[in-house]
Amino acid sequence: MYVLYEDSGNFKAEKIFSQSDSTMQVESESGKRSKIKNASVLFSFDQPSPAQLLEQGNALAQTLDVDFLWECAPQEEFEAAAFAEEYFGHPPSAPEKAALIFALNAAPAYFHRRGKGCYRPAPPEILAAALAAIEKKRKQAEQQQQWVDQMVAGELPAAIAEVADTLLTKPDKNSQQWKAFEAAVAQSNTSPEKLLLSLGAWPHALALHQHRFLSQYFPRGTQFGPVQVANAYEHLPLNDVVAYSMDDTTTTEVDDALSVVLHDGDMATIGIHIAAPGLAVTRDSELDHLARGRMSTVYIPGLKIPMLPDELIGSFSLDAGHIRPALSLYIEANLATGEILSSQTRLERIQVRENLRHNLLDEAVTDEALADAQGDLPYGEWLRPLWRMAMHLCAARDQVRGKPENNNRVEYSFVLEGPHDDPDTPVRLVPRRRNAPLDRLVAEYMILANNVWGGLLAKHGVPGIYRSQQTGRVRMSTHALPHEAIGVPQYAWSTSPLRRYVDLVNQWQILATAEHGVSARLVAPFKPKDADLFAIIGAFDAQYSAWSEYQSAMERYWCMRWLQQHDMKTVQGSVIRDDLVRLDCAPFVTRVASLPELERGQAVTLDILGYDELALELDCRLREVITD
């Protein structure tokens, strides 16, 4: 004796081995035994064999006209076995009963299940709607498959082109286009980016890189709407110090400037002057929301996306010849010993005499020229005393650190001589050592300001945003903690308020502390334990990392374009570790397949075999190991 039963939506036919009141054991042809409920059995039979029943039943079910079945079926609920006798006109055989059950079960639009072996025909209006939906789905599947076939064949369907700009960032995963695109990616055994590029959805890899970044972080565009900036700072005292700024040629947000006044002997008053947009951008204002939305200026070769609107930058940037508000830190120092006798923070107005540029002065301002008091040195009366004090500051930090800083790495500026979105734009790599005197000089005074102002906030119990490093771990917090790598007891970013949001936040806190002193913790924009400060830290870290990652990606891209524009087939570099090599001619690190085990710093020559501008990788192989 055999039974046909249903198991998890599948029909099975097997031999009865044993049976009780509610369950039975069945045995398959392979000898495997299973326990099933009697209630799951559709019917029992003596012949044919279970395998033949399933084979004959399925074959016969394929010949049954489901429309005719629906017309013949009772309009109320019915049992399939009873309907089989009426349909076939005689007591049905086991394969005939199975065939009818299979046919009914395979047509859910026509017949609704009402329990084991029982069905009810769908009402005409419901059947018509279901059939229309099935036909629509069939046509959609055909259309979807047509798109897949086109993409696999290298043709971009118009419907896919219309949504190409969303497929990598915010795809509608319920749409036909996405499903077709996903299937084409799988069939092509490639990545979504490579498939879109090969289909011509993007003209080149650069456009794809830029679109993916901008659509994710700047979906409404990078331009600000017009803003009004009130000029209400004429009441601030005007200080006639002789101040200069020092920046790259492309810098338009001049955050800082330095001044120095010499007194008797080796005594001097050194001023560190920081732009004060915190006067116009106040907490929770419209301008604050704009700045907090970006957290930092984005710097990529040929393009800058500012944190603040141009009108605000224009009103507060320390541009030469314009009187601008500044948050100034003055220190009284002994240039002979490096001793800082006192410090004072003031909110005032200053007029920067000149915005100096690295590229115009780096060659002339050398360590030797600075040390030669009688030698010819541009702006020597300003540079030399500042340099003397900067060397004391550096030595004091080195003593805390226990070793001198290693700043010999060469950095590069990327100069695009054409549009930033055209891969054929000529690019120049302009090298500059980080330990150039002007770099070191400015860095020392910015470190000093961040240290002193961080200490000022801590002294008065006013929270700020600090960057610390302890036991090798760098993190941001609201408490003053040492920064071991820099060698200072605390470090609060506060010298780039036009470009970094945390500096702007710290400026609000410093302004309140400078004005109110011991009561500042009660009136500062952020009070102790303000949870919003922690939210700012988290958001800044995430956004700043995203900006840095994109900047690095674009610098890699333009390095690769530079190599191609110079038709570089062979390059030299030095091993960093394992298979990583840093090129000598460009700021680029690449992996070299099958690189033998070499010591760190080992010079090598590489052959460039190809460029992957999408993955931003060079295909290189070792040509030779350079020996002395």
Side-chain angles (χ1 to χ4, degrees):
M1 181 69 71
Y2 310 112
V3 290
L4 177 71
Y5 67 96
E6 191 173 1
D7 180 27
S8 302
N10 297 316
F11 293 109
K12 294 182 180 180
E14 293 180 349
K15 180 181 178 181
I16 300 175
F17 181 78
S18 65
Q19 187 172 6
S20 65
D21 291 340
S22 60
T23 63
M24 67 174 65
Q25 272 195 329
V26 293
E27 185 177 73
S28 66
E29 284 187 335
S30 66
K32 180 182 178 182
R33 295 175 184 174
S34 304
K35 185 177 181 180
I36 66 172
K37 293 181 178 180
N38 293 341
S40 66
V41 175
L42 295 166
F43 64 85
S44 59
F45 60 97
D46 294 322
Q47 58 179 354
S49 69
Q52 290 175 325
L53 175 85
L54 294 175
E55 181 182 355
Q56 294 172 16
N58 280 308
L60 181 56
Q62 298 299 318
T63 68
L64 301 182
D65 186 337
V66 68
D67 287 298
F68 184 65
L69 280 175
W70 181 80
E71 291 177 2
C72 296
Q75 292 304 299
E76 66 279 352
E77 184 178 314
F78 63 88
E79 288 188 5
F83 179 48
E85 182 170 352
E86 180 181 342
Y87 179 80
F88 289 107
H90 58 262
S93 65
E96 287 175 331
K97 283 198 289 186
L100 190 67
I101 292 174
F102 295 164
L104 295 173
N105 198 71
Y110 288 82
F111 299 98
H112 301 163
R113 292 191 58 177
R114 288 294 183 266
K116 183 187 69 172
C118 294
Y119 296 87
R120 183 188 181 98
E125 64 279 5
I126 293 178
L127 176 60
L131 293 178
I134 291 171
E135 178 62 14
K136 179 181 179 181
K137 189 174 182 179
R138 184 190 65 80
K139 290 182 177 179
Q140 288 178 339
E142 288 182 354
Q143 177 65 84
Q144 188 172 310
Q145 187 58 49
Q146 181 182 355
W147 290 339
V148 172
D149 294 340
Q150 286 179 277
M151 286 186 279
V152 171
E155 179 184 349
L156 179 64
I160 303 298
E162 290 175 1
V163 298
D165 59 347
T166 69
L167 292 176
L168 299 179
T169 52
K170 294 183 178 179
D172 178 1
K173 294 191 176 182
N174 293 318
S175 67
Q176 285 183 266
Q177 292 95 325
W178 168 257
K179 293 175 182 177
F181 177 68
E182 189 176 37
V185 169
Q187 290 187 29
S188 301
N189 194 27
T190 187
S191 68
E193 294 84 355
K194 286 185 177 179
L195 180 58
L196 284 174
L197 201 59
S198 68
L199 293 174
W202 301 103
H204 40 70
L206 176 60
L208 195 151
H209 286 303
Q210 292 177 337
H211 163 76
R212 186 163 47 185
F213 174 77
L214 293 174
S215 62
Q216 180 177 358
Y217 294 104
F218 298 92
R220 299 180 181 178
T222 61
Q223 299 299 314
F224 291 105
V227 299
Q228 296 294 324
V229 181
N231 185 13
Y233 315 113
E234 291 84 354
H235 66 284
L236 295 176
L238 176 63
N239 195 333
D240 60 353
V241 294
V242 178
Y244 297 90
S245 69
M246 177 62 64
D247 294 285
D248 292 327
T249 305
T250 56
T251 299
T252 56
E253 305 145 302
V254 182
D255 282 296
D256 56 85
L258 299 172
S259 66
V260 60
V261 177
L262 297 177
H263 305 301
D264 294 338
D266 290 310
M267 304 306 295
T269 301
I270 295 174
I272 304 168
H273 311 282
I274 306 301
L279 296 172
V281 184
T282 55
R283 185 180 180 184
D284 291 330
S285 66
E286 180 182 354
L287 289 173
D288 178 32
H289 293 156
L290 294 177
R292 187 165 179 172
R294 298 194 176 186
M295 286 290 178
S296 171
T297 294
V298 184
Y299 295 96
I300 55 177
L303 178 67
K304 177 174 65 176
I305 304 174
M307 180 183 76
L308 296 172
D310 290 340
E311 298 92 329
L312 187 67
I313 294 172
S315 297
F316 287 90
S317 176
L318 301 181
D319 298 332
H322 297 275
I323 297 175
R324 295 287 159 76
L327 180 62
S328 299
L329 173 64
Y330 289 98
I331 62 169
E332 300 295 330
N334 186 325
L335 300 184
T337 64
E339 182 183 4
I340 296 177
L341 304 176
S342 65
S343 65
Q344 183 182 21
T345 298
R346 301 180 200 165
L347 180 59
E348 60 187 8
R349 291 180 299 153
I350 66 167
Q351 183 175 8
V352 171
R353 178 166 295 185
E354 192 172 347
N355 298 132
L356 306 180
R357 304 298 180 181
H358 284 287
N359 64 309
L360 301 178
L361 289 176
D362 271 346
E363 290 188 6
V365 182
T366 63
D367 290 76
E368 294 75 18
L370 287 164
D372 183 2
Q374 306 304 318
D376 186 23
L377 177 67
Y379 308 97
E381 72 285 354
W382 176 73
L383 284 170
R384 284 194 174 103
L386 288 175
W387 178 252
R388 288 181 67 190
M389 188 61 192
M391 291 301 94
H392 287 299
L393 294 172
C394 181
R397 292 193 303 107
D398 285 348
Q399 186 174 5
V400 174
R401 287 160 31 86
K403 59 181 180 179
E405 286 183 290
N406 182 15
N407 285 331
N408 292 323
R409 182 161 53 90
V410 176
E411 291 189 343
Y412 289 82
S413 298
F414 292 76
V415 180
L416 302 189
E417 298 176 340
H420 75 279
D421 54 0
D422 183 354
D424 293 326
T425 290
V427 56
R428 288 190 295 114
L429 301 181
V430 181
R432 192 174 91 234
R433 288 195 174 276
R434 289 188 64 189
N435 68 343
L438 289 176
D439 274 332
R440 291 153 63 192
L441 184 147
V442 174
E444 286 300 335
Y445 289 106
M446 297 307 106
I447 292 172
L448 177 63
N450 290 330
N451 175 26
V452 171
W453 278 334
L456 179 69
L457 295 179
K459 176 183 176 182
H460 289 84
V462 178
I465 298 178
Y466 294 86
R467 194 168 183 86
S468 64
Q469 185 195 53
Q470 293 177 288
T471 63
R473 182 189 176 195
V474 177
R475 67 188 185 98
M476 300 184 76
S477 68
T478 59
H479 298 287
L481 296 170
H483 198 302
E484 295 173 349
I486 297 178
V488 292
Q490 63 272 319
Y491 191 76
W493 266 348
S494 50
T495 54
S496 295
L498 292 172
R499 293 180 271 186
R500 280 195 306 245
Y501 187 70
V502 293
D503 299 58
L504 183 61
V505 169
N506 281 336
Q507 185 171 93
W508 294 337
Q509 303 296 87
I510 296 166
L511 287 169
T513 305
E515 180 179 358
H516 298 284
V518 293
S519 60
R521 64 196 309 268
L522 303 177
V523 297
F526 292 91
K527 310 301 187 292
K529 299 183 180 180
D530 192 324
D532 200 27
L533 270 182
F534 296 98
I536 290 171
I537 290 173
F540 177 82
D541 270 341
Q543 201 117 308
Y544 201 63
S545 296
W547 289 184
S548 298
E549 183 179 341
Y550 183 58
Q551 179 181 349
S552 297
M554 287 297 90
E555 288 180 355
R556 285 183 69 84
Y557 176 86
W558 284 108
C559 277
M560 295 174 68
R561 296 303 302 172
W562 180 85
L563 291 168
Q564 292 175 79
Q565 290 171 11
H566 287 78
D567 196 26
M568 304 282 281
K569 305 294 186 184
T570 302
V571 292
Q572 291 188 350
S574 57
V575 175
I576 301 176
R577 67 177 184 277
D578 302 328
D579 61 348
L580 288 177
V581 174
R582 177 179 284 114
L583 303 190
D584 293 342
C585 60
F588 197 93
V589 173
T590 185
R591 293 191 178 277
V592 182
S594 302
L595 188 72
E597 185 175 344
L598 298 170
E599 291 186 4
R600 180 181 178 87
Q602 173 64 58
V604 294
T605 301
L606 307 176
D607 287 328
I608 298 179
L609 306 179
Y611 300 86
D612 187 340
E613 294 183 354
L614 196 55
L616 300 174
E617 296 290 346
L618 288 181
D619 182 11
C620 298
R621 70 181 175 195
L622 178 66
R623 183 184 185 93
E624 65 175 335
V625 177
I626 300 175
T627 57
D628 293 336

